[in-house]
């Protein structure tokens, strides 16, 4: 069940392989650590995209005021 769930995380394939290998060998602390790292990476990407969206929103607003 956990191995299947790892495939649905959206993490890079290499990271998924590492996590699955850890789970299969019973190295749950390492699997958990890798999941935390993957989560932080995805979260950083989301924040970066939010910043890009805010910038685009500002441009739209500024162009709207210039009309």
């Amino acid at each position: 069940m956990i191995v299947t769930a790892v495939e649905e995380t959206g993490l890079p394939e290499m990271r998924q392989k590492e996590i699955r290998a850890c789970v299969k060998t019973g190295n749950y602390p390492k699997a958990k650590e890798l999941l935390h790292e993957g989560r932080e990476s995805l979260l950083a990407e989301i924040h970066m995209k939010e910043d890009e969206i805010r910038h685009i929103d500002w441009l739209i607003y500024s162009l709207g005021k210039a009309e």
Side-chain angles (χ1 to χ4, degrees):
M1 183 168 82
I2 291 175
V3 173
T4 303
V6 168
E7 295 171 359
E8 298 171 358
T9 61
L11 295 174
E13 183 61 34
M14 189 61 163
R15 179 57 56 109
Q16 289 182 32
K17 286 180 183 180
E18 290 177 285
I19 295 166
R20 286 192 302 263
C22 290
V23 169
K24 287 178 182 177
T25 61
N27 190 353
Y28 301 122
K30 181 66 176 176
K32 185 178 174 183
E33 177 185 331
L34 291 170
L35 283 166
H36 275 290
E37 289 173 4
R39 181 185 184 283
E40 290 301 314
S41 176
L42 287 173
L43 192 57
E45 188 176 328
I46 288 168
H47 288 301
M48 183 179 69
K49 294 297 181 189
E50 286 175 337
D51 288 343
E52 291 172 5
I53 290 169
R54 277 192 286 278
H55 183 73
I56 291 169
D57 287 346
W58 177 82
L59 286 168
I60 291 168
Y61 173 77
S62 296
L63 289 171
K65 284 185 74 172
E67 289 183 322

